[in-house]
Amino acid sequence: MRVGAARAVAVDWVRERMLVDPSVEGALFSGSTVGLPDDAVLPASSDVDVLLVRDSPGVKVGKFVRRGGVAGGQFGDVGAGG
């Protein structure tokens, strides 16, 4: 899978998450894929790291697999208020 396609999977997940969790105000990519171009191959041992921006502390989601066996990445929280 290409990095751009893996990022698109992560973006879809964030959008879905925002619909069911109103405390999620946005998200940002972090980790090793940030500097990679969209057409780079994502190694099978890699994931896409995403930090959720929330209006209050939340539970860490952790790693998971989504669409096509892509590891969705480590999802954590970045407090929006401070």
Side-chain angles (χ1 to χ4, degrees):
M1 176 172 276
R2 303 283 177 187
V3 170
R7 287 181 186 138
V9 170
V11 167
D12 287 346
W13 181 84
V14 169
R15 287 181 177 147
E16 291 173 13
R17 191 82 182 158
M18 290 176 79
L19 291 174
V20 298
D21 185 349
S23 71
V24 178
E25 296 182 341
L28 56 115
F29 292 113
S30 67
S32 62
T33 62
V34 169
L36 296 177
D38 285 345
D39 62 348
V41 174
L42 183 68
S45 61
S46 292
D47 58 16
V48 175
D49 295 320
V50 176
L51 296 177
L52 297 178
V53 178
R54 305 169 61 105
D55 64 4
S56 59
V59 176
K60 192 173 190 177
V61 177
K63 293 187 183 289
F64 60 93
V65 175
R66 182 172 172 93
R67 291 204 328 225
V70 176
Q74 190 71 28
F75 291 80
D77 298 317
V78 177

